[in-house]
Amino acid sequence: MLVLHYTGMETGRAALERMCDPDAKVAAHYMVEEDGQIYQLVDENKRAWHAGVASWQGLEDINSRSIGIEIVNGGHDYGMPDFPEVQIDAVITLCKDVLSRHDIFQSSIVGHSDIAPGRKDDPGEKFPWSRLCEEGVGLWPLRENALAVGSVQQLAEIGYEITAEPSRSEVYAVVKAFQQRWMQDNVTGDACLETLCRIAQVAAAYKENGKALA
Ligand SMILES: [Zn+2]
């Protein structure tokens, strides 16, 4: 798997110091600065601590099966700045590089919020997932594609963890995580009709892409 994060700290320097501090017990394999500079912190064949308690497509212990990339951005706590163009270019180059070295399904490229809804909000609704998809990194179904109405339970077909009879707060958390990635202009946590249609579109794209859930 490939897991993308934002650092959510005031500066890249602060994030780097935290990830180099053994007591913090947190680090990703890579960090990408706002100016596009890439730091490697952990070898790709080593387990890094970036995902925490998480689940995707029924799999847990994400740290043991993923490469983690931290993207320097203040995030929700520091004004939600835009991701600079040069930084996203570097992220795309790095992701393509990682994909060339490992057998990673497109459906296994995720944001931290996808695998830990309610607990994590990164990389956030400003992260340009559609742009990454244009470059061959991850899936991005077009909105016009399907008019079917999906259901909240269908989120499991994409990979989101959802119980058989979810509580309201669980639905809110997982729907919000879905919206942060797939309908970034409408992050409400509300399973409205537009959201249910979008769930059907993404689920269809994942089904088409296939493999990972087989
Ligand atoms: Zn994260």
Side-chain angles (χ1 to χ4, degrees):
M1 290 179 62
L2 180 58
V3 183
L4 304 187
H5 304 258
Y6 68 43
T7 49
M9 294 180 73
E10 221 159 353
T11 63
R13 169 123 217 118
L16 202 55
E17 273 169 18
R18 179 146 189 267
M19 288 194 281
C20 292
D21 173 6
D23 293 334
K25 296 189 173 171
V26 58
H29 294 88
Y30 295 97
M31 188 186 92
V32 182
E33 260 289 8
E34 285 160 314
D35 64 2
Q37 194 178 347
I38 298 169
Y39 296 86
Q40 180 163 19
L41 306 170
V42 179
D43 280 349
E44 288 184 1
N45 62 0
K46 296 248 160 59
R47 185 177 186 270
W49 295 347
H50 58 95
V53 178
S55 165
W56 188 246
Q57 298 181 342
L59 300 172
E60 289 172 4
D61 190 8
I62 307 297
N63 283 336
S64 290
R65 57 179 86 245
S66 66
I67 303 285
I69 299 176
E70 286 281 356
I71 301 157
V72 174
N73 182 279
H76 294 79
D77 286 346
Y78 294 98
M80 282 278 275
D82 289 327
F83 292 88
E85 200 70 17
V86 62
Q87 184 184 34
I88 293 302
D89 287 343
V91 169
I92 289 168
T93 302
L94 175 58
C95 286
K96 284 163 110 172
D97 237 45
V98 170
L99 293 177
S100 74
R101 286 190 288 271
H102 302 273
D103 199 11
I104 297 175
F105 298 125
Q106 292 292 338
S107 60
S108 302
I109 300 170
V110 296
H112 201 184
S113 54
D114 291 321
I115 60 174
R119 194 171 70 81
K120 293 292 173 182
D121 276 316
D122 60 307
E125 50 268 43
K126 282 204 170 168
F127 188 73
W129 287 104
S130 60
R131 165 101 203 279
L132 267 68
C133 178
E134 282 168 22
E135 306 272 357
V137 181
L139 296 170
W140 188 259
L142 295 173
R143 277 191 160 171
E144 308 77 67
N145 275 2
L147 292 170
V149 179
S151 69
V152 170
Q153 282 302 338
Q154 243 184 315
L155 287 167
E157 295 171 19
I158 300 164
Y160 293 92
E161 184 175 29
I162 184 158
T163 54
E165 285 175 44
S167 65
R168 279 177 74 134
S169 62
E170 187 187 345
V171 171
Y172 174 85
V174 71
V175 165
K176 185 179 165 204
F178 173 85
Q179 291 167 336
Q180 283 180 316
R181 174 149 180 197
W182 305 103
M183 39 191 301
Q184 298 175 323
D185 52 353
N186 190 6
V187 180
T188 59
D190 177 22
C192 61
L193 186 61
E194 191 196 347
T195 300
L196 295 177
C197 289
R198 188 69 176 140
I199 290 171
Q201 289 164 10
V202 177
Y206 267 60
K207 199 171 174 188
E208 222 165 276
N209 180 257
K211 249 175 159 183
L213 287 177

